[in-house]
Amino acid sequence: MTEVLPNNFIRTIIDEDIKTGKHTKIITRFPPEPNGYLHIGHAKAICLNFGLASEFNGECNLRFDDTNPEKESEEYAKSIEEGIKWLGFSWAGDTKHASDYFDKLYQFAEYFIEQDMAYVCDLTPEQMRQYRGDFSTPGKNSPYRDPSDKLFRTKEENLALFRQMKNGDFPDGSKTLRLKIDMSSPNMNLRDPVIYRIKRDHHIRTGNKWCIYPMYDYTHCISDALEGITHSCCSLEFEDHRPLYDWVLDHLLKAGLVPCHPRQIEFSRLELQYTITSKRKLNQLVEMGVVDGWDDPRMPTLLGMRRRGYTPAGIRLFIERCGVSKSPNNVDMTLLEASVREDLEVVAPRIMAVLNPIKVVLTNFSAELTSSREAPFHPQRPELGSRLCTLTKEIYIEADDFQEVPEAGFQRLQPGGEVRLRHSYIIKCEEVIKGPDGKITQLNCSIDHNTLGKNPEGRKVKGVIHWVSCDLSINAEVRLYDRLFTEVTPDKMEGKDFTDFLNPNSLQILNGHIESAGQDFKQCTLQFERLGYFIADIKAQDKIIFNKTVALKDTWRK
RNA sequence: AGGGGAGUCGCCAAGUGGUAAGGCAUCGGAUUUUGAUUCCGACAUUCGCAGGUUCGAUCCCUGCCUCCCCUGCCA
C-alpha cells in the first residue's frame, strides 16, 4: 500500500487556506437527514469530511439535518451514528442537530423581516409555482411582496403574521415566510425562496414545540456558520444553492448575527457500477422482497456491506482510491472488491471449507502411520495462531478440483494423478467410482506417507487443493452473492425500470462443510482457502450460516 | 430555452504553457503446500471536436458537440 494517493481539489483549497492564514484550524461536518440508512454514497461524504478533518488536525461535527419531521425518525438517527462509528470515525463533541438552532433560526427570520428582506406569503403551492415562472420566463412578484401591491404587508404586519404562524394561529400550509431576493433571477433558488412553512408534525427532538419548520437552504448555512464550520462540503446538486447559502450568510454576518461565513464546496457523488443508491429505489427492493432487508448482504448499504463481511478499512481504502472530483463517475465494482480484499488479505484468518463436496476415501489411511499437521491461521502472521488439520480416512474435496478428463493446464486431481492436500499429504487418485447415473460419487485415493511437510523426491507435484474431514467438519449454510443487477447503470436505462435488470442469480445457497475451527471466528471475516472470504452471518439464529464476502482473485478460472 | 456544472486509457483520477502520475481492470513472467499473496514487466505520441495564439497547448483564446443538475411549502 505504498501508492501515492491522488491529491484532490478540496485538499488543495484547504492547504491554501491554511497557508494563507485564512484558517488555523478547519472544521467540517457530516450533515445527514435522519430519513434513511447510510449507503456507500454516504461513506464517501463521511470519509471525506471526517478524513479531511483528521488529516488537517481539525474537527468534524455530526449534525442531523432534522428540519422535516414528516420524514425523520430516531431509528434512522441511531443507525447513522452507529454507521459512522463502525466506519471508524468519531465526531467532535456531542451530536448536533439543526433543531438545536431553531430558536436562533427563528430570531434571524424576524431579523430578515425587520430588514424588509422577508415577507409572509399566502400563495398556495399551485399559485407559487405559477408565480415562479420557468427556465425561460422570469417569475412574477408575489402580491404580498411589494409596496405597490394591494396585498402588500408592512414589516410590522409581516412580523405579527410570522409570530402568529409560530403560535399556531394558521392551518398547515396556509402561509410561508419567503426571502425577498429576485423573482427574475435565472437561478430558481433565488426566486424568493420559502424559508419557513407551517407543518404540524411530531419532531424527533423538539416534539410538538414548533408548528413551523425552517427549510434546508435557510437552515443549513446558518447551522454551518453557528458551528464555525470552515469548509462545508456537499454534493454537486447544491451548486445552484450556493448563491443562496452566501446571500443568507452575507447578511447575517454583516449584522453580526453569525460568527463566520463558511465556504461551501461541491463534489460529485459516488456512483457504483451495477448498483443503485437512491433511497427510494433501495426501499423498493426491500418492499418487493427482492432482498432480505436494508442489511441484506447484497445491498450497498453500510448495514449490508457489514453483514457481507466488508471491513471498515477496506471501505475506507476504496473511498480514498475513488478520489474526489466534480466529474460524473461510475466506479468499477472491482475497485471496491480489490480494496476489501487488500485489507482482508492481511487480517483474515484462513481455514478450509468445501462448498461443493465430492467424497474421497483414503484407502491406505492408517491411524498409526498417518499424522496431521499444525497449520497457521495466516501464512505471514504466526501471531494469529494455528490449529491441527486432522486428516481422516474420509474427506471431502471440491468437486471442481477433480476432472476425469482434465482440460489443458489443469493442475488439480485427475485419474492416476497426484495432488497435494493443503497442510497435509500428497495423494494419488487410484479409482473413480460412479453411481448408476454415471455421476462420480467417490474417489479412492492413496496417501504418499512420505510427503507430510516435505516435497517428494524425484517429481514435482504442483497442484494444491483444500479439503475437509467428513467426520470432523461442521455443516453450514453458505450464501454466495453476486451483483444485484445485470446492467452497469440499471437506473439509467432508457424507457426501462431498474427492476427490469434484477439479477435472478444474485443469491445462491449451498450446504458447505467447514473446518470446525471456523466456529471460533464469529466476528471477523475469514478466508476459506482458495475460495474467498466469508463471514458468519450476524443474523443467523439456530444454524450456522456463512456469507461470502468476495472471492479470491482467480487467474485460472474465468 | 435560461442558469449552474463536467468531459484526460475499459473504470476512477493527478497534472496544467515545456512535451501525459497513480490505482483498479487487463496481459505477460518469477516465486509459492492457497492457480491467493508477493515480486518484476507491458498497457494514452495523446488529454470531447474544430480553429487560433505561441518556439511549444491537455493546459490560454474562439466556436461547436456530448453528458449531468435546477421550475418541492424535500434534503
Side-chain angles (χ1 to χ4, degrees), chain A residues 190-251:
Chain A
L190 264 22
R191 319 251 262 225
D192 287 12
V194 169
I195 59 169
Y196 266 95
R197 75 286 213 183
I198 305 173
K199 190 175 231 175
R200 286 168 178 80
D201 252 315
H202 184 87
H203 186 280
I204 55 172
R205 301 280 300 178
T206 59
N208 298 319
K209 180 179 175 193
W210 297 85
C211 66
I212 56 172
Y213 289 96
M215 300 285 289
Y216 166 84
D217 284 310
Y218 177 71
T219 309
H220 200 83
C221 53
I222 294 175
S223 304
D224 279 349
L226 292 176
E227 289 179 11
I229 302 300
T230 54
H231 303 269
S232 180
C233 304
C234 60
S235 45
L236 247 32
E237 70 268 30
F238 293 105
E239 220 149 12
D240 283 344
H241 296 239
R242 186 164 12 103
L244 178 50
Y245 184 104
D246 290 335
W247 189 97
V248 171
L249 257 25
D250 280 343
H251 289 294

Side-chain angles (χ1 to χ4, degrees), chain A residues 31-48:
Chain A
E33 182 186 18
N35 70 343
Y37 298 101
L38 260 17
H39 55 64
I40 189 71
H42 294 110
K44 177 173 181 177
I46 293 171
C47 291
L48 180 73

Side-chain angles (χ1 to χ4, degrees), chain A residues 116 143-154 157 180:
Chain A
D116 235 332
Y144 302 93
R145 185 189 207 266
D146 303 310
S148 55
D149 272 304
K150 273 200 292 277
L151 297 171
F152 173 68
R153 288 161 170 166
T154 63
E157 288 169 322
K180 198 182 285 189

